[in-house]
PDB file of all heavy atoms in Angstrom:
ATOM      1  N   TYR X 200     -34.018  75.551 -24.123  1.00  0.00           N
ATOM      2  CA  TYR X 200     -33.887  74.280 -23.414  1.00  0.00           C
ATOM      3  C   TYR X 200     -33.876  73.144 -24.434  1.00  0.00           C
ATOM      4  O   TYR X 200     -34.523  73.217 -25.472  1.00  0.00           O
ATOM      5  CB  TYR X 200     -35.053  74.065 -22.432  1.00  0.00           C
ATOM      6  CG  TYR X 200     -35.090  75.080 -21.315  1.00  0.00           C
ATOM      7  CD1 TYR X 200     -35.870  76.231 -21.424  1.00  0.00           C
ATOM      8  CD2 TYR X 200     -34.349  74.898 -20.154  1.00  0.00           C
ATOM      9  CE1 TYR X 200     -35.907  77.172 -20.403  1.00  0.00           C
ATOM     10  CE2 TYR X 200     -34.371  75.830 -19.123  1.00  0.00           C
ATOM     11  CZ  TYR X 200     -35.153  76.970 -19.259  1.00  0.00           C
ATOM     12  OH  TYR X 200     -35.168  77.894 -18.256  1.00  0.00           O
ATOM     13  N   ALA X 201     -33.130  72.086 -24.100  1.00  0.00           N
ATOM     14  CA  ALA X 201     -33.082  70.900 -24.958  1.00  0.00           C
ATOM     15  C   ALA X 201     -33.407  69.680 -24.123  1.00  0.00           C
ATOM     16  O   ALA X 201     -33.129  69.629 -22.920  1.00  0.00           O
ATOM     17  CB  ALA X 201     -31.694  70.755 -25.580  1.00  0.00           C
ATOM     18  N   SER X 202     -34.005  68.673 -24.753  1.00  0.00           N
ATOM     19  CA  SER X 202     -34.321  67.440 -24.043  1.00  0.00           C
ATOM     20  C   SER X 202     -33.053  66.627 -23.801  1.00  0.00           C
ATOM     21  O   SER X 202     -32.062  66.749 -24.526  1.00  0.00           O
ATOM     22  CB  SER X 202     -35.313  66.600 -24.861  1.00  0.00           C
ATOM     23  OG  SER X 202     -34.689  66.116 -26.048  1.00  0.00           O
ATOM     24  N   ALA X 203     -33.093  65.776 -22.784  1.00  0.00           N
ATOM     25  CA  ALA X 203     -31.949  64.906 -22.505  1.00  0.00           C
ATOM     26  C   ALA X 203     -31.698  63.951 -23.665  1.00  0.00           C
ATOM     27  O   ALA X 203     -30.549  63.629 -23.970  1.00  0.00           O
ATOM     28  CB  ALA X 203     -32.191  64.130 -21.207  1.00  0.00           C
ATOM     29  N   SER X 204     -32.767  63.516 -24.340  1.00  0.00           N
ATOM     30  CA  SER X 204     -32.577  62.597 -25.474  1.00  0.00           C
ATOM     31  C   SER X 204     -31.842  63.286 -26.616  1.00  0.00           C
ATOM     32  O   SER X 204     -31.000  62.670 -27.284  1.00  0.00           O
ATOM     33  CB  SER X 204     -33.921  62.045 -25.953  1.00  0.00           C
ATOM     34  OG  SER X 204     -34.794  63.095 -26.311  1.00  0.00           O
ATOM     35  N   LEU X 205     -32.128  64.567 -26.859  1.00  0.00           N
ATOM     36  CA  LEU X 205     -31.395  65.303 -27.891  1.00  0.00           C
ATOM     37  C   LEU X 205     -29.917  65.427 -27.512  1.00  0.00           C
ATOM     38  O   LEU X 205     -29.027  65.230 -28.350  1.00  0.00           O
ATOM     39  CB  LEU X 205     -32.010  66.687 -28.083  1.00  0.00           C
ATOM     40  CG  LEU X 205     -31.216  67.667 -28.956  1.00  0.00           C
ATOM     41  CD1 LEU X 205     -30.998  67.107 -30.354  1.00  0.00           C
ATOM     42  CD2 LEU X 205     -31.905  69.022 -29.027  1.00  0.00           C
ATOM     43  N   LEU X 206     -29.651  65.722 -26.252  1.00  0.00           N
ATOM     44  CA  LEU X 206     -28.261  65.855 -25.810  1.00  0.00           C
ATOM     45  C   LEU X 206     -27.514  64.526 -25.947  1.00  0.00           C
ATOM     46  O   LEU X 206     -26.355  64.498 -26.381  1.00  0.00           O
ATOM     47  CB  LEU X 206     -28.220  66.357 -24.365  1.00  0.00           C
ATOM     48  CG  LEU X 206     -28.838  67.746 -24.140  1.00  0.00           C
ATOM     49  CD1 LEU X 206     -28.848  68.091 -22.662  1.00  0.00           C
ATOM     50  CD2 LEU X 206     -28.092  68.820 -24.931  1.00  0.00           C
ATOM     51  N   ARG X 207     -28.168  63.424 -25.601  1.00  0.00           N
ATOM     52  CA  ARG X 207     -27.526  62.110 -25.762  1.00  0.00           C
ATOM     53  C   ARG X 207     -27.244  61.821 -27.231  1.00  0.00           C
ATOM     54  O   ARG X 207     -26.201  61.257 -27.578  1.00  0.00           O
ATOM     55  CB  ARG X 207     -28.397  61.009 -25.157  1.00  0.00           C
ATOM     56  CG  ARG X 207     -28.490  61.071 -23.638  1.00  0.00           C
ATOM     57  CD  ARG X 207     -29.111  59.802 -23.080  1.00  0.00           C
ATOM     58  NE  ARG X 207     -30.465  59.561 -23.560  1.00  0.00           N
ATOM     59  CZ  ARG X 207     -31.560  60.029 -22.972  1.00  0.00           C
ATOM     60  NH1 ARG X 207     -31.464  60.787 -21.890  1.00  0.00           N
ATOM     61  NH2 ARG X 207     -32.752  59.735 -23.452  1.00  0.00           N
ATOM     62  N   ALA X 208     -28.182  62.204 -28.099  1.00  0.00           N
ATOM     63  CA  ALA X 208     -27.977  61.980 -29.525  1.00  0.00           C
ATOM     64  C   ALA X 208     -26.779  62.779 -30.043  1.00  0.00           C
ATOM     65  O   ALA X 208     -25.996  62.288 -30.876  1.00  0.00           O
ATOM     66  CB  ALA X 208     -29.243  62.356 -30.298  1.00  0.00           C
ATOM     67  N   GLN X 209     -26.613  63.994 -29.568  1.00  0.00           N
ATOM     68  CA  GLN X 209     -25.464  64.808 -29.969  1.00  0.00           C
ATOM     69  C   GLN X 209     -24.165  64.202 -29.441  1.00  0.00           C
ATOM     70  O   GLN X 209     -23.143  64.174 -30.137  1.00  0.00           O
ATOM     71  CB  GLN X 209     -25.631  66.242 -29.462  1.00  0.00           C
ATOM     72  CG  GLN X 209     -26.787  67.004 -30.084  1.00  0.00           C
ATOM     73  CD  GLN X 209     -26.561  67.322 -31.554  1.00  0.00           C
ATOM     74  OE1 GLN X 209     -25.486  67.122 -32.106  1.00  0.00           O
ATOM     75  NE2 GLN X 209     -27.591  67.816 -32.217  1.00  0.00           N
ATOM     76  N   LEU X 210     -24.190  63.712 -28.215  1.00  0.00           N
ATOM     77  CA  LEU X 210     -22.991  63.083 -27.658  1.00  0.00           C
ATOM     78  C   LEU X 210     -22.627  61.809 -28.408  1.00  0.00           C
ATOM     79  O   LEU X 210     -21.447  61.473 -28.544  1.00  0.00           O
ATOM     80  CB  LEU X 210     -23.208  62.775 -26.171  1.00  0.00           C
ATOM     81  CG  LEU X 210     -23.300  63.994 -25.251  1.00  0.00           C
ATOM     82  CD1 LEU X 210     -23.737  63.582 -23.852  1.00  0.00           C
ATOM     83  CD2 LEU X 210     -21.956  64.731 -25.192  1.00  0.00           C
ATOM     84  N   ALA X 211     -23.627  61.109 -28.909  1.00  0.00           N
ATOM     85  CA  ALA X 211     -23.372  59.868 -29.637  1.00  0.00           C
ATOM     86  C   ALA X 211     -22.587  60.109 -30.923  1.00  0.00           C
ATOM     87  O   ALA X 211     -21.870  59.219 -31.389  1.00  0.00           O
ATOM     88  CB  ALA X 211     -24.690  59.161 -29.957  1.00  0.00           C
TER      89      ALA X 211
END
Side-chain angles (χ1 to χ4, degrees):
Y200 296 94
S202 68
S204 57
L205 170 59
L206 298 175
R207 291 192 299 271
Q209 294 291 351
L210 291 171

